[in-house]
């Protein structure tokens, strides 16, 4: 259970499928994630953040990645609880206001909105398409390769860490017993094999890159070229329209607070 939080990395693992969301241009999907991120930062109220979270559900259901998406949210829930508690404690340490609880809930929901948006992006976008999108955005290939490689290996390392945890527990390692310092020391037999495995994996990757003359030629060509389709333009325009509407709501309208409806 202590490593259940690592389920959040399931949201970074691409799930291959043939759905309208998967077929969207990766640049459009990244635009949607960025717009959700910016919109979530604009609002501090709980109601619009809940709407923003629920608005992602149709996309997840159409993409058929709801199981992995829910797993990532379960892994992130412990951090959301920590954010809620910290904001609640700080709110009561300062002059107490009537919306301390709702503000703390809003910050926790904002974190879940951010995790949910980027989880849906990585679940529906292959690392190859992501690398092509970064290259066509005129980002140097070395940075594109490093980023896509990290995206590929984060779920792999998470699974390997879970395997090490299971192996050490089968040998009698207790992770949940003892005081704080004792628990920290209990994680050393897990971290050391994981770091050694990551270093070994990086060395193997470096040797494979050298054997293929990585970086010998500055100009590269790609087998596939990303092309925006009409549906991509439509989704991008709709995303911008919804974003401008959210900005209008933020600037010109009074957003009701949840605590106003509670006696």
């Amino acid at each position: 259970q202590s490593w259940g939080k690592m389920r959040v990395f399931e949201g970074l693992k691409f799930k291959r499928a043939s759905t309208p969301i998967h077929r969207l241009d990766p640049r459009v999907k990244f635009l949607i994630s960025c717009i959700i991120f910016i919109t979530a930062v604009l609002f501090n109220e709980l109601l619009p953040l809940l709407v923003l979270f629920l608005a992602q559900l149709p996309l997840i259901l159409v993409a058929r990645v709801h199981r992995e998406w829910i797993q990532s949210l379960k892994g992130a829930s412990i951090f959301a609880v920590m954010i809620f508690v910290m904001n609640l404690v700080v709110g009561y340490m300062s002059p107490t206001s009537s919306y301390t609880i709702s503000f703390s809930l809003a910050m926790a929901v904002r974190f879940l909105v951010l995790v949910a948006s980027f989880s849906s992006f990585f679940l529906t976008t292959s690392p190859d398409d992501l690398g092509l999108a970064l290259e066509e955005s005129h980002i140097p290939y070395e940075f594109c390769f490093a980023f896509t490689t990290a995206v590929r290996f984060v779920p792999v390392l998470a699974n390997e860490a879970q395997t090490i945890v299971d192996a050490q527990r089968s040998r009698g390692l207790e992770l949940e017993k003892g005081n704080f310092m004792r628990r920290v020391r209990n994680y050393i037999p897990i971290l050391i094999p994981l770091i050694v495995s990551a270093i070994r994996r990086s060395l193997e990757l470096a040797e494979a890159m050298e054997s293929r003359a990585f970086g010998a030629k500055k100009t590269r060509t790609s087998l596939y070229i990303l092309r925006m389709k009409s549906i991509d333009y439509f989704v991008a325009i709709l995303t911008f329209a919804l974003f401008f509407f959210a900005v209008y709501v933020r600037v010109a309208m009074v957003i009701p607070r949840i605590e106003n409806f509670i006696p």
Side-chain angles (χ1 to χ4, degrees), residues 35-36 38-40 42-43 48 52 239-253 255:
I35 291 298
I36 293 175
I38 297 172
T39 307
L42 286 177
F43 294 96
L52 194 60
T239 303
F240 276 116
L242 293 176
F243 173 68
F244 290 136
F245 175 74
V247 173
Y248 172 77
V249 171
R250 171 78 278 177
V251 174
M253 299 179 64
I255 302 173

Side-chain angles (χ1 to χ4, degrees), residues 164-165 168-176 185-187 189-190:
I164 296 173
V165 170
Q168 297 289 28
R169 278 179 171 169
S170 67
R171 293 173 172 85
L173 179 64
E174 296 288 346
L175 297 175
E176 303 298 331
R185 287 195 297 268
N186 288 341
Y187 279 94
I190 296 172

